[in-house]
Amino acid sequence: MSNCPLNVAKLIFCWRCLFAAVFNSAFLMPYIGSQPAQAQEVNQSCQISAAEAQEKDKLRLSALKGEQEAQNRYQQMLRQNAQTLQECRSRNWPQVQAIWLRLYPCDTQAGEIERIMDRIVNRGYNQVYLEAFYDGQVLLPAANNPTAWPSVIRTPGAENNDLLLKAIQKGQERGLKVYAWMFTTNFGYTYAQRQDREGAIARNGKGQTSLYVVEDGSQVFIDPYNLQAKSDYYQMVQEIMRRRPDGVLFDYVRYPRQAGSDSIATKVTDLWLYSEGTQQALFQRAQNNKGLELIRRFLSKGYVTAGDIGEVDKLYPQEGEPMWQGRMPPVAQTPAPGQAQAASTGQKPPTQQKAIIPPQQRQPQLQSELWQLSVAHAMQGILDFVNLAAYPAQQLGIPAGVVFFPDGNQTVGQGYDSRLQPWDRFPSSLEWHPMSYASCGNVSCIATQVQQVLSQAKPGTQVIPAIAGQWGKSINGRPPLEAQMQAMRPFASQLRGVSHFAYSWQDPEHDNERKFCRTQ
């Protein structure tokens, strides 16, 4: 975790979507003709032919029935597919093509994880972002879950089923890299139901938690400065890292998204600063008594008056300007009484100095700086939390990444996006996964978001945009994936990878089957 002081004066926010990869498989809408040029595109997409995919699935089903010859042929085909996929992706952009995947309790059925991973390989993907912690539940076996959250798999008789470990291993057997994808500061509704964790929940100055501001009531954001919350999350990351995924991605690295006028934070009571951990950490940023008292008053009332400043001057007459981390008070001042005389006589000036600029003149600047301190403190909590969360992975040499909205840190006038997602300050040692989900009826706004992130990333930062959609058709007003990928082609030299949200969008029929155990 960073212990560096905040330089609030430097809190500056700056603002700035394929090659034709057309799939022709049993799982996607037919989209390919018979012309030679299109046949070449099939090769470039790194997909497996429909006939080969069908043959592989038949072998899988026969192997499930215990047929040894089918099992041998199936394993041989898996190895061949893995090698072909690796060679194809190394020759064609993007070198990393990933897909986001959620598993369900029904996926514990024999052969189901294999079926899912086979279908992912068939479509030319070489990475999977597997949801390991979401909606207040964790993908660990119920019989071996020491975390503060319930297990995703709570089916009687399946207490020892380690679906996370199995999915990682089955993916890796097929040449896939499998990342654990985790919610971060959104701990979920189940966490909020624990009375012993009440103090860990983030609160704003209106007496609200995120349960009151998020429409579905399922998102519970925590105080990122709370020691219990940090300990709970750290333990969970360690448990997930014991399964040795190929990477870990942290999602919801932010505060709640609010609606309407509340979508922009314009005053301190809009910020999630009112839980004990965050407040105490904020008070510790004060560097003298005057600074501490003004921070307290600003947090309590939402503003400071000239009268407050005058009262604080009288309370601590021995101190100069109110000070806190990052504050650089005005330099040009008239010498206080005794200073000029001391300078002319060579005597040591008195140590006790009074503020010499009238409180009325100092109030606008102090109020503005207290607002900037409050915003920066809220953002620093997010940065410190994700750095702590990534540490267990980094110790093991496992790549870690952050998932964010490119517009999650924007300013509007004197206000800030309510999510306060400081992605432009995420370290370059983490992979950056911008959710480029802009919707404007075409691909231009998606490309703009990607370009914006690339312009902010420091050299060496690995940027892997996430785009949402389906192959071959528009969905929810979003252009087909091939159009979005084409829009990113100009950035190919800067983008080694792209991810697609989500498996459930690409194969909704199979997704519904899996939810209700209607597979095989």
Side-chain angles (χ1 to χ4, degrees):
M1 289 168 56
S2 171
N3 292 314
C4 298
L6 288 175
N7 191 338
V8 182
K10 294 184 178 179
L11 183 62
I12 301 172
F13 295 89
C14 302
W15 306 104
R16 324 271 189 268
C17 134
L18 145 112
F19 67 93
V22 182
F23 286 121
N24 177 29
S25 74
F27 318 115
L28 298 174
M29 174 182 292
Y31 202 77
I32 298 181
S34 59
Q35 298 175 3
Q38 290 176 314
Q40 187 178 2
E41 292 170 359
V42 172
N43 294 332
Q44 289 178 347
S45 72
C46 299
Q47 74 163 20
I48 290 170
S49 70
E52 189 171 358
Q54 290 169 355
E55 173 66 15
K56 183 164 62 173
D57 202 47
K58 288 178 181 178
L59 291 171
R60 179 186 65 85
L61 291 171
S62 297
L64 270 177
K65 297 175 183 178
E67 298 180 18
Q68 189 59 48
E69 177 61 25
Q71 175 68 25
N72 294 339
R73 290 175 56 198
Y74 179 55
Q75 292 298 325
Q76 182 182 7
M77 184 172 281
L78 293 184
R79 290 190 293 269
Q80 290 173 343
N81 287 169
Q83 183 177 352
T84 300
L85 177 62
Q86 181 181 5
E87 293 173 351
C88 181
R89 286 262 71 99
S90 68
R91 294 193 309 267
N92 296 283
W93 181 86
Q95 283 71 49
V96 171
Q97 185 164 275
I99 193 165
W100 302 76
L101 174 68
R102 173 178 289 189
L103 296 179
Y104 306 107
C106 297
D107 292 326
T108 58
Q109 293 184 358
E112 190 55 34
I113 292 295
E114 292 88 340
R115 184 186 188 200
I116 295 167
M117 295 301 176
D118 285 351
R119 292 162 79 102
I120 288 172
V121 169
N122 295 345
R123 300 172 188 182
Y125 292 101
N126 60 345
Q127 287 194 10
V128 181
Y129 301 154
L130 175 65
E131 228 171 354
F133 171 60
Y134 62 95
D135 293 349
Q137 50 188 351
V138 60
L139 196 63
L140 292 173
N144 184 19
N145 177 13
T147 76
W149 294 269
S151 298
V152 173
I153 312 301
R154 300 190 290 274
T155 309
E159 293 84 1
N160 291 301
N161 197 309
D162 197 332
L163 203 55
L164 175 60
L165 177 60
K166 183 176 180 180
I168 292 170
Q169 293 175 342
K170 295 302 180 182
Q172 291 172 342
E173 287 174 7
R174 287 154 177 78
L176 296 168
K177 286 191 174 182
V178 183
Y179 278 47
W181 158 34
M182 305 175 63
F183 286 14
T184 309
T185 52
N186 176 7
F187 275 25
Y189 183 78
T190 58
Y191 195 83
Q193 301 313 295
R194 298 186 53 148
Q195 293 185 353
D196 59 342
R197 298 299 195 269
E198 218 172 283
I201 309 303
R203 285 174 170 78
N204 62 24
K206 307 165 192 175
Q208 299 171 322
T209 70
S210 60
L211 282 173
Y212 297 94
V213 303
V214 179
E215 288 183 2
D216 62 6
S218 68
Q219 298 180 13
V220 173
F221 288 77
I222 49 85
D223 170 1
Y225 289 97
N226 181 273
L227 293 178
Q228 184 68 66
K230 290 194 283 190
S231 175
D232 286 341
Y233 196 84
Y234 192 87
Q235 181 188 30
M236 180 174 59
V237 176
Q238 287 182 310
E239 288 298 320
I240 290 173
M241 290 305 103
R242 288 192 176 101
R243 275 72 184 172
R244 293 297 191 274
D246 295 291
V248 59
L249 297 182
F250 297 104
D251 199 353
Y252 284 90
V253 192
R254 58 177 176 86
Y255 294 100
R257 179 205 292 268
Q258 300 186 56
S261 60
D262 291 331
S263 65
I264 304 298
T266 57
K267 51 189 181 301
V268 70
T269 52
D270 294 334
L271 303 179
W272 302 91
L273 298 175
Y274 291 82
S275 47
E276 185 177 355
T278 290
Q279 283 200 12
Q280 291 304 316
L282 178 57
F283 296 154
Q284 289 170 10
R285 297 200 187 279
Q287 294 182 329
N288 61 9
N289 290 305
K290 283 186 176 182
L292 176 59
E293 185 61 26
L294 282 183
I295 291 170
R296 288 186 183 276
R297 295 188 183 207
F298 183 72
L299 203 60
S300 174
K301 299 192 300 183
Y303 58 88
V304 291
T305 65
D308 290 322
I309 298 168
E311 288 177 15
V312 170
D313 285 341
K314 292 177 182 178
L315 279 171
Y316 305 103
Q318 76 280 11
E319 294 182 353
E321 277 285 320
M323 293 297 296
W324 48 78
Q325 290 176 4
R327 179 157 200 255
M328 300 177 66
V331 175
Q333 297 186 11
T334 304
Q339 283 186 300
Q341 181 181 0
S344 63
T345 61
Q347 299 175 359
K348 185 178 179 180
T351 58
Q352 295 185 355
Q353 301 177 22
K354 295 184 178 180
I356 53 172
I357 302 176
Q360 292 86 347
Q361 295 181 28
R362 295 157 60 209
Q363 187 275 336
Q365 181 68 21
L366 280 167
Q367 173 132 327
S368 174
E369 291 182 1
L370 284 163
W371 166 242
Q372 295 298 329
L373 171 68
S374 300
V375 171
H377 178 69
M379 290 185 171
Q380 190 63 43
I382 297 296
L383 293 167
D384 288 348
F385 194 91
V386 77
N387 286 333
L388 175 72
Y391 187 70
Q394 293 170 333
Q395 277 191 307
L396 297 171
I398 295 174
V402 277
V403 186
F404 58 89
F405 289 106
D407 58 355
N409 66 345
Q410 64 184 331
T411 59
V412 180
Q414 296 299 309
Y416 294 84
D417 188 293
S418 62
R419 293 166 290 186
L420 291 181
Q421 188 166 49
W423 62 261
D424 51 326
R425 294 171 58 196
F426 288 149
S428 57
S429 58
L430 298 178
E431 295 178 2
W432 287 19
H433 293 255
M435 293 178 283
S436 307
Y437 295 169
S439 181
C440 56
N442 57 59
V443 297
S444 61
C445 51
I446 298 171
T448 297
Q449 286 191 332
V450 173
Q451 186 174 30
Q452 172 193 344
V453 172
L454 288 171
S455 68
Q456 294 274 346
K458 293 180 180 178
T461 306
Q462 187 170 173
V463 179
I464 304 176
I467 57 176
Q470 284 187 354
W471 295 102
K473 65 178 181 180
S474 298
I475 181 173
N476 299 333
R478 302 183 186 279
L481 281 177
E482 52 266 37
Q484 296 186 49
M485 292 290 284
Q486 186 64 45
M488 280 186 228
R489 207 63 171 87
F491 313 121
S493 62
Q494 298 170 273
L495 300 176
R496 182 171 170 267
V498 179
S499 68
H500 299 156
F501 188 90
Y503 185 90
S504 59
W505 283 33
Q506 297 210 14
D507 200 338
E509 182 178 348
H510 185 219
D511 194 65
N512 283 325
E513 289 175 352
R514 292 168 48 230
K515 284 181 182 178
F516 303 104
C517 300
R518 295 197 300 259
T519 56
Q520 302 298 328

